[in-house]
Amino acid sequence: MIQYKDGIVIDTLLRAASSSRASPFARIHATRTIGSLTCQATASQIGSHPNLLITLSSLACRHDQVAIMAAMAVKKIATHVRSSDSSHKLLLQALVTMSYSRATEVLKWTVRAYFEQSCFPHDRLSMIAHRGTIILKHKLTAVHDMTSSTQPGV
């Protein structure tokens, strides 16, 4: 399904998720479906789809349910994409963009995605080398400290 007709399914879901003319219900479900299609076998392909991570990170900077679904989808991609994948730099940039969100739920998913990436030594090296990641770490540490004092297990 991911590769069908050069990614037309993902294109359609991205258009629905980012369309101002689509209903909020359709936008939420399109974004959720992108996350649902992401697994170990598909994450690299989905992450490499043109403009997918840019669009999801932009959607994550909103203040609605679509933002949370977009952040969850990026986190799911981060679970499976490694520094050897072609989409890794795009993923890191998406995390940097998402760190500018003011929505607590989005920032929680960004922290979780960052943690997923930092668990692997080769990914850590790429993260350190990526422009903006040090600022991202600083911002997310502050958010994590803020939320962990009120919610254990975040």
Short mmCIF file of all heavy atoms in Angstrom, two decimals, residues 5 10 17-18 20 24 32-33 44 65 68 86 118:
data_model
loop_
_atom_site.label_atom_id
_atom_site.label_comp_id
_atom_site.label_asym_id
_atom_site.label_seq_id
_atom_site.Cartn_x
_atom_site.Cartn_y
_atom_site.Cartn_z
N LYS A 5 1.47 2.90 -6.72
CA LYS A 5 1.50 4.04 -7.65
C LYS A 5 2.36 5.19 -7.12
O LYS A 5 1.92 6.33 -7.02
CB LYS A 5 0.10 4.52 -7.98
CG LYS A 5 -0.69 3.53 -8.81
CD LYS A 5 -1.91 4.17 -9.41
CE LYS A 5 -2.63 3.16 -10.28
NZ LYS A 5 -3.75 3.74 -10.97
N ILE A 10 -0.13 7.72 0.39
CA ILE A 10 0.47 8.66 1.36
C ILE A 10 0.23 10.10 0.90
O ILE A 10 -0.09 10.97 1.72
CB ILE A 10 1.97 8.39 1.54
CG1 ILE A 10 2.20 6.98 2.10
CG2 ILE A 10 2.63 9.43 2.42
CD1 ILE A 10 1.66 6.77 3.50
N ALA A 17 -4.75 15.59 5.42
CA ALA A 17 -4.31 16.04 6.74
C ALA A 17 -4.00 17.53 6.78
O ALA A 17 -4.26 18.21 7.77
CB ALA A 17 -3.09 15.25 7.19
N SER A 18 -3.49 18.06 5.69
CA SER A 18 -3.05 19.46 5.68
C SER A 18 -4.03 20.41 4.99
O SER A 18 -3.80 21.61 4.98
CB SER A 18 -1.67 19.57 5.03
OG SER A 18 -1.70 19.09 3.70
N SER A 20 -7.03 22.80 4.48
CA SER A 20 -7.90 23.64 5.31
C SER A 20 -9.38 23.43 4.94
O SER A 20 -10.27 23.79 5.69
CB SER A 20 -7.52 25.11 5.16
OG SER A 20 -7.65 25.51 3.81
N PRO A 24 -12.32 18.71 10.25
CA PRO A 24 -11.37 18.32 11.29
C PRO A 24 -11.32 16.80 11.49
O PRO A 24 -10.26 16.23 11.70
CB PRO A 24 -11.91 19.01 12.55
CG PRO A 24 -12.67 20.19 12.02
CD PRO A 24 -13.25 19.74 10.71
N ARG A 32 -3.82 10.16 11.57
CA ARG A 32 -3.76 8.92 12.35
C ARG A 32 -3.44 7.73 11.44
O ARG A 32 -2.69 6.83 11.82
CB ARG A 32 -5.07 8.69 13.08
CG ARG A 32 -5.04 7.42 13.94
CD ARG A 32 -6.34 7.20 14.67
NE ARG A 32 -6.47 8.20 15.73
CZ ARG A 32 -7.62 8.69 16.15
NH1 ARG A 32 -8.76 8.29 15.60
NH2 ARG A 32 -7.66 9.57 17.12
N THR A 33 -3.99 7.72 10.24
CA THR A 33 -3.76 6.62 9.30
C THR A 33 -2.30 6.57 8.87
O THR A 33 -1.72 5.48 8.74
CB THR A 33 -4.69 6.74 8.08
OG1 THR A 33 -6.05 6.74 8.54
CG2 THR A 33 -4.48 5.61 7.10
N SER A 44 10.94 3.61 7.08
CA SER A 44 11.94 4.29 6.26
C SER A 44 11.32 4.81 4.96
O SER A 44 11.59 5.92 4.53
CB SER A 44 13.10 3.36 5.95
OG SER A 44 14.09 4.03 5.22
N GLN A 65 -6.19 18.71 17.66
CA GLN A 65 -6.00 17.26 17.72
C GLN A 65 -5.12 16.76 16.57
O GLN A 65 -4.41 15.77 16.73
CB GLN A 65 -7.37 16.56 17.70
CG GLN A 65 -7.32 15.10 18.01
CD GLN A 65 -6.88 14.81 19.45
OE1 GLN A 65 -7.09 15.61 20.35
NE2 GLN A 65 -6.27 13.66 19.65
N ILE A 68 -1.49 16.70 17.63
CA ILE A 68 -1.13 15.54 18.47
C ILE A 68 -0.97 14.29 17.60
O ILE A 68 0.00 13.54 17.76
CB ILE A 68 -2.17 15.33 19.58
CG1 ILE A 68 -2.18 16.55 20.51
CG2 ILE A 68 -1.89 14.04 20.35
CD1 ILE A 68 -3.35 16.60 21.46
N SER A 86 17.85 6.85 4.72
CA SER A 86 17.93 8.12 3.98
C SER A 86 17.06 9.22 4.60
O SER A 86 17.33 10.40 4.39
CB SER A 86 17.53 7.90 2.53
OG SER A 86 16.18 7.44 2.45
N SER A 118 17.84 8.51 20.61
CA SER A 118 19.06 8.57 21.42
C SER A 118 19.46 7.22 22.02
O SER A 118 20.52 7.10 22.61
CB SER A 118 18.89 9.61 22.53
OG SER A 118 17.90 9.21 23.44
#
